Amino acid sequence: MPIVDHPLQDATTFATLNRQLEERSADEIVQWATQEYRGQIALTCSFGGPSGMVLLDLALRHDRDIPVLVLDTSLLFPETDALVIAIEQHYGISVQRVRPALTLAQQANLHGAELYNHNPDLCCKIRKVEPLNQALKPFGAWMTALRRDQNPTRANTPIASWNERQQLVKICPLAQWTERQTWSYLHANGVPYNSLLDTGYTSLGCTPCTQRPLSADDARSGRWVGFAKTECGLHL
Ligand code: SF4
């Protein structure tokens, strides 16, 4: 594994690093990340899609103390809330629930009821993006389970990159993985996953903005149906 100089913000350094990481397995990348940034790295997991559960399982194999963060928008499916609790029991960890500054009632007072129906970008900003920005402030690195095959907007996801917004290193160990690999890992390792994925959902977010996919070729086609929006903004 490469030894990198800090701060790791230089594009040339990242290009060199990524050339090396592209040759490594996801497990090796997680091992490198958890060693390189031990005590400074956090993992975010939506507890919706399957790849987050793979990454969580891999990360805990290498670092039992890695902070695991979930964005609790107060609009998650009950099945997602149940999975968070199941994971805490399965691994003996405590998941950090990152909550927005505004309750749903406060948000409705300020911006109108059901903001997700008329301005989902603002709703995501309040309930996801800003809370994540705050939650990641103490950390120097952030590990997340983006895959290149999830969406055309994610097709060029680098394994490691400097994230200007959060001022930290963002690491996507599963960038090269496919949906099939993800499910093979979950089944082979008995990793708990969201029960809604057995009922036709392929990508899960908040209840008002999630349907079963409209297209079998696009796992995220059930998200924000009726809007041009395809991302909540966490990864833009
Ligand atoms: Fe709001 Fe929908 Fe974004 Fe959730 S996914 S924060 S409900 S707009």
Side-chain angles (χ1 to χ4, degrees), residues 71-137:
L71 294 174
D72 183 354
T73 61
S74 306
L75 289 161
L76 299 177
F77 284 91
E79 290 84 351
T80 304
D81 289 324
L83 179 60
V84 175
I85 294 167
I87 286 292
E88 290 181 317
Q89 293 170 347
H90 184 82
Y91 293 101
I93 63 168
S94 180
V95 175
Q96 295 183 22
R97 292 156 176 82
V98 177
R99 298 192 169 95
L102 299 179
T103 65
L104 284 172
Q106 290 168 330
Q107 178 173 295
N109 282 339
L110 279 172
H111 302 290
E114 301 181 350
L115 183 59
Y116 38 80
N117 282 337
H118 55 93
N119 192 342
D121 283 342
L122 180 58
C123 187
C124 277
K125 182 169 183 272
I126 294 169
R127 312 208 73 73
K128 289 186 173 183
V129 178
E130 288 178 348
L132 181 70
N133 290 348
Q134 285 299 319
L136 288 179
K137 273 188 179 168

Side-chain angles (χ1 to χ4, degrees), residues 13-14 21 33 44-45 74 79 87 95 97 100 107-108 118 120 169 178 189 198 202 221 234:
T13 313
F14 271 110
L21 294 177
T44 56
C45 180
S74 306
E79 290 84 351
I87 286 292
V95 175
R97 292 156 176 82
Q107 178 173 295
H118 55 93
V169 177
T178 63
N189 293 282
D198 288 334
T202 50
S221 58
L234 300 175

Side-chain angles (χ1 to χ4, degrees), residues 206-227:
C206 299
T207 50
C209 304
T210 305
Q211 300 180 19
R212 290 179 176 82
L214 306 184
S215 161
D217 298 330
D218 183 354
R220 289 175 62 83
S221 58
R223 305 288 296 275
W224 301 286
V225 172
F227 292 93

